[in-house]
Amino acid sequence: DIQMTQSPSTLSASVGDRVTITCRASQSISSWLAWYQQKPGKAPKLLIYKASSLESGVPSRFSGSGSGTEFTLTISSLQPDDFATYYCQQYNSYPITFGQGTRLEIK
Amino acid sequence: QLQLQESGPGLVKPSETLSLTCTVSGGSISSSSYYWGWIRQPPGKGLEWIGSIYYSGSTYYNPSLKSRVTISVDTSKNQFSLKLSSVTAADTAVYYCARLEYCGGDCPNWFDPWGQGTLVTVSS
């Protein structure tokens, strides 16, 4: 199985900050990576697919980059609605696996 | 707009079989462009893919659960279902259904959209 490791596990930041979350794969997954946002009690919401493609309707302050084994999700200017947990997911091969999550909290 | 809704018992006894159904509305489960999956999330923990199914019945299961999982599809009802046998407390989780884009053959994909999720508790 491909292991996905996110860092940090928790990130404290303020409104307006630029933040970056990292996701590393245990082997190359090309660009087959998605990012999700999850708020408490809600289902995950797709933000990014194919490492850097922004899902329709997702604000442009979200961006993704990377290929191979290292990927990043960047939020250019944090808004109050962005405080949530973020997950990466690889779909290079079965079984589909997720990172353990990064909780973004208000500083 | 496509919507998915999970349904089933919220409480299952240990050693019994968990059964959930996902009803798809606003689109056809028989579309050749998509397939359908189940994901779970134990309380306070991360996401685990359980398995996926194409409308033709082709299935892909997580090896960690494969011996206990059966996913099936009912195109006449626009539904797909999950059965997980011999459950224990470790199977307590919110269970989500979701859609995946079909990419041809044996290739996984991302999940979008997701159902709202349903909490299943395993307890006597």
Side-chain angles (χ1 to χ4, degrees):
Chain A
D1 298 5
I2 298 176
Q3 307 302 317
M4 306 301 293
T5 304
Q6 290 181 230
S7 60
S9 295
T10 304
L11 179 57
S12 297
S14 302
V15 172
D17 284 353
R18 177 184 179 91
V19 299
T20 298
I21 298 168
T22 297
C23 178
R24 290 186 174 86
S26 59
Q27 64 189 74
S28 178
I29 59 170
S30 185
S31 296
W32 306 124
L33 184 99
W35 287 98
Y36 301 88
Q37 177 193 67
Q38 186 179 34
K39 296 182 179 179
K42 300 294 187 182
K45 172 189 171 185
L46 178 70
L47 299 175
I48 302 278
Y49 59 95
K50 207 173 179 184
S52 60
S53 295
L54 193 67
E55 170 70 351
S56 176
V58 174
S60 59
R61 62 181 179 272
F62 291 91
S63 64
S65 66
S67 65
T69 63
E70 187 153 335
F71 302 86
T72 58
L73 173 71
T74 299
I75 309 173
S76 60
S77 178
L78 271 175
Q79 299 302 300
D81 191 49
D82 300 337
F83 291 95
T85 300
Y86 293 84
Y87 292 94
C88 60
Q89 174 227 325
Q90 69 82 19
Y91 53 97
N92 179 78
S93 61
Y94 286 115
I96 294 168
T97 49
F98 293 86
Q100 82 279 15
T102 293
R103 183 181 170 216
L104 179 53
E105 60 180 30
I106 301 173
K107 183 182 284 185
Chain B
Q1 182 182 356
L2 190 88
Q3 292 187 315
L4 300 94
Q5 178 70 58
E6 305 88 351
S7 59
L11 181 64
V12 180
K13 290 182 168 54
S15 80
E16 295 190 343
T17 295
L18 177 160
S19 296
L20 295 174
T21 295
C22 181
T23 300
V24 178
S25 59
S28 174
I29 203 169
S30 300
S31 169
S32 59
S33 299
Y34 301 105
Y35 64 123
W36 311 90
W38 288 98
I39 307 99
R40 71 179 183 177
Q41 184 173 36
K45 296 188 178 180
L47 300 160
E48 180 181 34
W49 171 69
I50 299 170
S52 302
I53 188 165
Y54 196 49
Y55 78 96
S56 63
S58 298
T59 52
Y60 306 89
Y61 295 138
N62 192 324
S64 67
L65 298 168
K66 187 174 183 178
S67 63
R68 300 194 291 130
V69 171
T70 302
I71 297 176
S72 59
V73 63
D74 186 338
T75 56
S76 67
K77 294 182 179 178
N78 228 32
Q79 296 175 334
F80 62 106
S81 298
L82 168 70
K83 291 189 185 299
L84 181 65
S85 63
S86 304
V87 297
T88 69
D91 296 309
T92 294
V94 175
Y95 286 76
Y96 296 101
C97 58
R99 185 184 72 176
L100 305 90
E101 274 199 27
Y102 184 67
C103 46
D106 190 19
C107 64
N109 225 323
W110 65 84
F111 300 96
D112 180 61
W114 297 54
Q116 65 184 28
T118 188
L119 175 63
V120 179
T121 301
V122 178
S123 174
S124 55

